[in-house]
Amino acid sequence: TLITLTVFFSLIFAYLGYYFAGQAMKPIKTAYHKQEKFVSDASHELRTPLSIFYSSIDLLNREESQNMSPLGKEILQDLQTEAQLMNRLVNDLLQLARSDKKQLTMEMKEVNLSELLTSIYKRFLRKKPATIIFAQKIEPEIFLVCDETRIQELVYILLDNAFKYTNEGEVKLTLRLNSSEKIITVEDSGCGIAQENLPFIFDRFYRTDASRAKGGSGLGLSIAKSIVEAHGGKISVQSMLGKGSVFTVTIKDKN
Ligand code: ADP
């Protein structure tokens, strides 16, 4: 009977603990959902006026700028850059809000990852600064069932960062196969990330002083992470301040 009573009371206490913890979390969960909904609604509402704003400035820039004073041209140019940034920010937020609600629409098909990465590599090679050596080691004939546009976006985000945070040195893109895992790495010999900042770099809006100086939004890596997770994969980073960083993405075909 003693054992039965002990088990009985343990169960009661476990249940009460579970119940009260749940109750205590409720306001936090509600606040979190409210915040998620606000971000999602706001970015949705802002999208249309912003894209009209952006295309009007673009048109003005192309059609009318020759009749403008140098100052007018300069202001128009600034407006265009800022509108472009705002447009991207709103689209990024919308994409993150969708991934929170598991509403990312994925168009899965078999993709030749080796070809996709080679073409991205070539595009970056054309526009890279002269101070950086851009190398690749892409194993041929690696295929993955994935959303091609999103994987492209993921690699763009990582390469964009590698170039943004490397003034001179080397950036390297690799793709290899480890049994059934496809492993993409983006390595750079740039400014690196301080150990105390590493746990936060995949958080939304988290950015360091290095990023502020470059006009970063702090959303790139959280989008990269949401893309990798939507494919059931993992993303990790190794970095040393002043030495450089390595971002590793590991994805398998979903069964
Ligand atoms: P952003 O670059 O717009 O600030 P991200 O979400 O892409 O936003 O990155 C978050 C932070 O992680 C950056 O502010 C930067 O401090 C750090 N970071 C990302 N990639 C690199 C890199 N390759 N080298 C050094 N720091 C990086």
Side-chain angles (χ1 to χ4, degrees):
T1 41
L2 189 64
I3 295 178
T4 324
L5 272 178
T6 318
V7 171
F8 178 71
F9 280 111
S10 309
L11 281 175
I12 297 254
F13 280 123
Y15 175 75
L16 285 176
Y18 178 74
Y19 176 77
F20 283 114
Q23 289 298 314
M25 288 298 283
K26 254 191 189 161
I28 300 173
K29 273 191 190 155
T30 316
Y32 184 72
H33 286 310
K34 270 194 183 152
Q35 187 222 22
E36 256 183 20
K37 186 163 166 24
F38 172 74
V39 171
S40 158
D41 291 349
S43 42
H44 201 265
E45 293 301 315
L46 280 169
R47 206 156 74 132
T48 316
L50 251 181
S51 70
I52 295 171
F53 178 53
Y54 175 65
S55 45
S56 311
I57 293 175
D58 191 39
L59 195 69
L60 199 64
N61 207 5
R62 275 186 285 144
E63 305 278 315
E64 299 290 338
S65 68
Q66 56 271 47
N67 306 323
M68 283 186 180
S69 67
L71 180 64
K73 274 188 197 169
E74 209 175 300
I75 291 173
L76 195 60
Q77 197 68 56
D78 287 350
L79 275 176
Q80 193 174 16
T81 313
E82 294 301 327
Q84 201 170 9
L85 271 178
M86 263 182 359
N87 225 358
R88 229 184 55 199
L89 195 63
V90 165
N91 281 328
D92 285 356
L93 278 173
L94 199 60
Q95 181 170 334
L96 282 169
R98 285 194 183 128
S99 83
D100 283 341
K101 290 196 270 176
K102 311 262 179 289
Q103 280 177 350
L104 272 190
T105 41
M106 304 276 283
E107 284 179 30
M108 305 295 271
K109 62 170 189 206
E110 182 158 73
V111 172
N112 185 333
L113 212 51
S114 312
E115 273 179 12
L116 181 69
L117 262 59
T118 305
S119 78
I120 299 174
Y121 170 75
K122 284 184 184 156
R123 238 168 292 155
F124 270 85
L125 192 62
R126 265 181 254 128
K127 58 175 195 175
K128 74 162 186 73
T131 49
I132 296 176
I133 297 167
F134 186 27
Q136 58 95 350
K137 197 166 179 226
I138 298 169
E139 280 180 17
E141 299 302 306
I142 296 184
F143 291 83
L144 178 71
V145 176
C146 63
D147 183 314
E148 185 171 15
T149 316
R150 296 200 191 281
I151 293 293
Q152 183 165 324
E153 190 180 359
L154 159 74
V155 180
Y156 260 79
I157 290 170
L158 297 180
L159 282 176
D160 223 37
N161 276 349
F163 282 101
K164 190 159 70 178
Y165 297 110
T166 309
N167 286 331
E168 55 180 320
E170 198 181 341
V171 172
K172 192 171 174 188
L173 172 66
T174 71
L175 171 67
R176 67 190 167 88
L177 198 62
N178 183 8
S179 62
S180 61
E181 290 179 336
K182 322 299 111 129
I183 303 171
I184 303 170
T185 66
V186 174
E187 248 170 275
D188 68 65
S189 64
C191 65
I193 303 159
Q195 295 303 306
E196 68 263 27
N197 295 336
L198 273 180
F200 309 109
I201 60 166
F202 295 99
D203 291 352
R204 219 160 288 185
F205 291 116
Y206 184 84
R207 46 184 204 158
T208 57
D209 291 340
S211 156
R212 276 180 209 108
K214 309 242 175 200
S217 67
L219 288 179
L221 285 181
S222 51
I223 291 177
K225 190 171 176 220
S226 78
I227 294 174
V228 176
E229 287 177 351
H231 284 85
K234 287 207 166 71
I235 181 164
S236 63
V237 58
Q238 280 181 301
S239 189
M240 279 254 282
L241 201 58
K243 293 254 188 261
S245 316
V246 186
F247 285 84
T248 307
V249 174
T250 310
I251 312 187
K252 273 198 239 182
D253 280 318
K254 272 189 177 171
N255 295 317

